[in-house]
Amino acid sequence: MSVANVMKLVAENDIKFVDFRFTDTRGKEQHVTVPVSHFDEDKFTEGHAFDGSSIAGWKGIQASDMQLMPDASTAYIDPFFDEPTLVLTCDVVDPTDGKGYDRDPRSLAKRAEAYLKSSGLGDTAYFGPEPEFFIFDSVQWDATMGGSFVKINSEEAAWSSGEKFEGGNTGHRPGVKGGYFPVPPVDSLHDIRSAMVLTLEELGVPVEVHHHEVATAGQCEIGTKFATLVQRADWTQILKYVVTNTAHAYGKTATFMPKPMFGDNGSGMHVHQSVWKDGKNLFAGNGYAGLSDFALYYIGGIIKHARALNAITNPGTNSYKRLVPHYEAPVKLAYSAKNRSAAIRIPFVHSDKARRVEARFPDPIANPYLAFSALLMAGLDGVQNKIHPGEPATKDLYHLPPEEDALIPTVCSSLEQALEYLDKDREFLTRGGVFTDDWIDSYIVLKMEEVTKLRQTPHPVEFGLYYSC
């Protein structure tokens, strides 16, 4: 959509407000709204000023002036606001030099796309994430000096079979690990997901499938189409916005938290990816599972740098409650066709155009701009240095004999460990100025605050372990 088309959209739909949106380091969308009386074509060249010092992990108050530069191609009418509101996704620009701010995730992702082209290795990278999420009826938590707790309320949950509900307890619900994928009434969230899908398609995000996922208590997935790196990250942010707000409109609450409950599957975000040049898929070849050497080296790069990648693709302390060995989580740094126990899977496809690899360890609280860029940079390092990933895994990696299990490396076991690896293994990210050392340093500081907060907080499980010692 051009600037002229945006202005036409504003006029034809009696738009009252324009909402400028951008994504912070943690991956959360932020916004500022102006009445249409203060919006014209000049906004696309002059931008909208704001205070960058108020964004966690960004500039201090001594250098806080920033500009939001709206991207006309991202325009859509918000489906949730009462008043007609046009949404524009923005890049964050440093007004001192007019360049994309080095800590702005979307500007960083654009640098990753530019680096791919400048490297000569390819001209386009495609990404197809699969973020899973939960829909609960309500959730409560607290962590104070006087105690801590979390309580998930879900009529669909396996633990609700003995509860009393208004109108009666129907008894139809998925058991633990029983949500993949029975028809309603066991799947009680079909209509909500359909509403989400229709909204996504209205906003220009192509949807391919929706279904209940494995876990009880409302685990779901909406599969959307692959796209280029920045556009696919934009779509992921729209998907999260639509999912959480549609659930809210239905009186429920949705979360992309990787491991909100104990004893059942957590939510991942498998990321499909491929690199193209001159209209040709560089991942297609005559090697293992129809892959080229380029694709195998790309896998080798991801495996080599996986522990540093974890800090970005699995950026929460909660992420590592999902990535636990021997609990059907993709922790083993191996690759395989069809075998879903490996961290890197090669999906079965019928054509070379669809040839791709799937990284299975990322999770949906990852900032998509940062996660896709980091995966691309790791893969390209593998290609540049011909890092072969070794032999593919043919066995179920979840149930290996101890002596074989010890030979296969794993992802990190904690966010703190992942940040340590990121600090040591960062050079591949900084090529072409995609990620900067300043960004990495500030990111580690930001995330260590989360690590420290959890380390300082007593956990209810600890009372069971140690109270009577």
mmCIF file of all heavy atoms in Angstrom, residues 135-139 153 192 244-254:
data_model
loop_
_atom_site.group_PDB
_atom_site.id
_atom_site.type_symbol
_atom_site.label_atom_id
_atom_site.label_comp_id
_atom_site.label_asym_id
_atom_site.label_seq_id
_atom_site.Cartn_x
_atom_site.Cartn_y
_atom_site.Cartn_z
ATOM 1 N N ILE A 135 -5.482 -20.624 25.814
ATOM 2 C CA ILE A 135 -6.636 -19.789 26.119
ATOM 3 C C ILE A 135 -7.240 -20.307 27.421
ATOM 4 O O ILE A 135 -7.741 -21.431 27.486
ATOM 5 C CB ILE A 135 -7.688 -19.824 25.000
ATOM 6 C CG1 ILE A 135 -7.087 -19.343 23.676
ATOM 7 C CG2 ILE A 135 -8.895 -18.964 25.380
ATOM 8 C CD1 ILE A 135 -8.043 -19.465 22.491
ATOM 9 N N PHE A 136 -7.153 -19.501 28.472
ATOM 10 C CA PHE A 136 -7.720 -19.848 29.774
ATOM 11 C C PHE A 136 -8.985 -19.034 30.024
ATOM 12 O O PHE A 136 -9.219 -17.999 29.388
ATOM 13 C CB PHE A 136 -6.714 -19.562 30.889
ATOM 14 C CG PHE A 136 -5.412 -20.299 30.777
ATOM 15 C CD1 PHE A 136 -4.200 -19.637 30.973
ATOM 16 C CD2 PHE A 136 -5.372 -21.654 30.477
ATOM 17 C CE1 PHE A 136 -2.991 -20.306 30.881
ATOM 18 C CE2 PHE A 136 -4.167 -22.342 30.378
ATOM 19 C CZ PHE A 136 -2.978 -21.660 30.581
ATOM 20 N N ASP A 137 -9.788 -19.497 30.985
ATOM 21 C CA ASP A 137 -10.954 -18.707 31.405
ATOM 22 C C ASP A 137 -10.510 -17.502 32.224
ATOM 23 O O ASP A 137 -11.043 -16.409 32.078
ATOM 24 C CB ASP A 137 -11.917 -19.569 32.220
ATOM 25 C CG ASP A 137 -12.571 -20.650 31.367
ATOM 26 O OD1 ASP A 137 -12.681 -20.453 30.151
ATOM 27 O OD2 ASP A 137 -12.950 -21.693 31.917
ATOM 28 N N SER A 138 -9.538 -17.695 33.093
ATOM 29 C CA SER A 138 -8.955 -16.597 33.858
ATOM 30 C C SER A 138 -7.668 -17.096 34.492
ATOM 31 O O SER A 138 -7.400 -18.304 34.521
ATOM 32 C CB SER A 138 -9.916 -16.089 34.943
ATOM 33 O OG SER A 138 -10.120 -17.071 35.939
ATOM 34 N N VAL A 139 -6.870 -16.172 35.001
ATOM 35 C CA VAL A 139 -5.627 -16.538 35.655
ATOM 36 C C VAL A 139 -5.372 -15.555 36.784
ATOM 37 O O VAL A 139 -5.699 -14.372 36.683
ATOM 38 C CB VAL A 139 -4.452 -16.555 34.646
ATOM 39 C CG1 VAL A 139 -4.216 -15.166 34.061
ATOM 40 C CG2 VAL A 139 -3.172 -17.085 35.284
ATOM 41 N N ASN A 153 -7.556 -20.946 35.811
ATOM 42 C CA ASN A 153 -8.945 -21.384 35.771
ATOM 43 C C ASN A 153 -9.321 -21.705 34.334
ATOM 44 O O ASN A 153 -9.223 -20.851 33.451
ATOM 45 C CB ASN A 153 -9.865 -20.288 36.318
ATOM 46 C CG ASN A 153 -9.508 -19.911 37.743
ATOM 47 O OD1 ASN A 153 -9.671 -20.697 38.659
ATOM 48 N ND2 ASN A 153 -8.997 -18.688 37.925
ATOM 49 N N ILE A 192 -13.832 -19.690 18.853
ATOM 50 C CA ILE A 192 -12.939 -18.568 19.156
ATOM 51 C C ILE A 192 -11.784 -18.527 18.160
ATOM 52 O O ILE A 192 -11.423 -17.462 17.642
ATOM 53 C CB ILE A 192 -12.403 -18.677 20.599
ATOM 54 C CG1 ILE A 192 -13.546 -18.574 21.602
ATOM 55 C CG2 ILE A 192 -11.367 -17.593 20.871
ATOM 56 C CD1 ILE A 192 -13.108 -18.694 23.044
ATOM 57 N N THR A 244 -4.787 -12.332 21.481
ATOM 58 C CA THR A 244 -5.021 -11.871 22.850
ATOM 59 C C THR A 244 -6.283 -11.016 22.948
ATOM 60 O O THR A 244 -7.040 -11.122 23.922
ATOM 61 C CB THR A 244 -3.803 -11.084 23.377
ATOM 62 O OG1 THR A 244 -3.456 -10.062 22.438
ATOM 63 C CG2 THR A 244 -2.605 -12.007 23.556
ATOM 64 N N ASN A 245 -6.530 -10.193 21.947
ATOM 65 C CA ASN A 245 -7.707 -9.315 22.012
ATOM 66 C C ASN A 245 -9.007 -10.036 21.678
ATOM 67 O O ASN A 245 -10.054 -9.696 22.232
ATOM 68 C CB ASN A 245 -7.508 -8.103 21.109
ATOM 69 C CG ASN A 245 -6.648 -7.045 21.747
ATOM 70 O OD1 ASN A 245 -7.102 -6.249 22.559
ATOM 71 N ND2 ASN A 245 -5.363 -7.054 21.407
ATOM 72 N N THR A 246 -8.961 -11.034 20.797
ATOM 73 C CA THR A 246 -10.162 -11.821 20.529
ATOM 74 C C THR A 246 -10.549 -12.628 21.764
ATOM 75 O O THR A 246 -11.721 -12.694 22.142
ATOM 76 C CB THR A 246 -9.955 -12.764 19.324
ATOM 77 O OG1 THR A 246 -9.579 -11.998 18.185
ATOM 78 C CG2 THR A 246 -11.228 -13.535 19.007
ATOM 79 N N ALA A 247 -9.558 -13.253 22.405
ATOM 80 C CA ALA A 247 -9.832 -13.987 23.640
ATOM 81 C C ALA A 247 -10.430 -13.045 24.689
ATOM 82 O O ALA A 247 -11.407 -13.398 25.376
ATOM 83 C CB ALA A 247 -8.546 -14.619 24.170
ATOM 84 N N HIS A 248 -9.887 -11.851 24.796
ATOM 85 C CA HIS A 248 -10.396 -10.858 25.753
ATOM 86 C C HIS A 248 -11.844 -10.509 25.446
ATOM 87 O O HIS A 248 -12.678 -10.388 26.359
ATOM 88 C CB HIS A 248 -9.511 -9.616 25.693
ATOM 89 C CG HIS A 248 -9.819 -8.594 26.739
ATOM 90 N ND1 HIS A 248 -9.481 -8.757 28.067
ATOM 91 C CD2 HIS A 248 -10.447 -7.391 26.663
ATOM 92 C CE1 HIS A 248 -9.875 -7.706 28.756
ATOM 93 N NE2 HIS A 248 -10.474 -6.861 27.930
ATOM 94 N N ALA A 249 -12.175 -10.365 24.160
ATOM 95 C CA ALA A 249 -13.544 -10.031 23.761
ATOM 96 C C ALA A 249 -14.521 -11.155 24.110
ATOM 97 O O ALA A 249 -15.709 -10.899 24.342
ATOM 98 C CB ALA A 249 -13.591 -9.742 22.268
ATOM 99 N N TYR A 250 -14.037 -12.388 24.176
ATOM 100 C CA TYR A 250 -14.868 -13.538 24.537
ATOM 101 C C TYR A 250 -14.886 -13.765 26.056
ATOM 102 O O TYR A 250 -15.428 -14.764 26.524
ATOM 103 C CB TYR A 250 -14.346 -14.799 23.849
ATOM 104 C CG TYR A 250 -14.900 -15.037 22.462
ATOM 105 C CD1 TYR A 250 -14.443 -14.312 21.371
ATOM 106 C CD2 TYR A 250 -15.890 -15.989 22.238
ATOM 107 C CE1 TYR A 250 -14.944 -14.531 20.097
ATOM 108 C CE2 TYR A 250 -16.402 -16.222 20.970
ATOM 109 C CZ TYR A 250 -15.928 -15.486 19.902
ATOM 110 O OH TYR A 250 -16.435 -15.705 18.635
ATOM 111 N N GLY A 251 -14.278 -12.866 26.813
ATOM 112 C CA GLY A 251 -14.241 -13.029 28.259
ATOM 113 C C GLY A 251 -13.218 -14.036 28.728
ATOM 114 O O GLY A 251 -13.321 -14.559 29.850
ATOM 115 N N LYS A 252 -12.220 -14.333 27.896
ATOM 116 C CA LYS A 252 -11.173 -15.279 28.258
ATOM 117 C C LYS A 252 -9.817 -14.579 28.177
ATOM 118 O O LYS A 252 -9.735 -13.393 27.850
ATOM 119 C CB LYS A 252 -11.217 -16.498 27.342
ATOM 120 C CG LYS A 252 -12.499 -17.317 27.494
ATOM 121 C CD LYS A 252 -12.494 -18.549 26.607
ATOM 122 C CE LYS A 252 -13.800 -19.329 26.713
ATOM 123 N NZ LYS A 252 -13.952 -19.967 28.035
ATOM 124 N N THR A 253 -8.761 -15.303 28.461
ATOM 125 C CA THR A 253 -7.427 -14.713 28.425
ATOM 126 C C THR A 253 -6.470 -15.655 27.698
ATOM 127 O O THR A 253 -6.473 -16.866 27.954
ATOM 128 C CB THR A 253 -6.910 -14.410 29.849
ATOM 129 O OG1 THR A 253 -5.582 -13.887 29.767
ATOM 130 C CG2 THR A 253 -6.924 -15.642 30.738
ATOM 131 N N ALA A 254 -5.686 -15.105 26.773
ATOM 132 C CA ALA A 254 -4.741 -15.904 25.989
ATOM 133 C C ALA A 254 -3.315 -15.549 26.380
ATOM 134 O O ALA A 254 -3.014 -14.398 26.709
ATOM 135 C CB ALA A 254 -4.949 -15.665 24.497
#
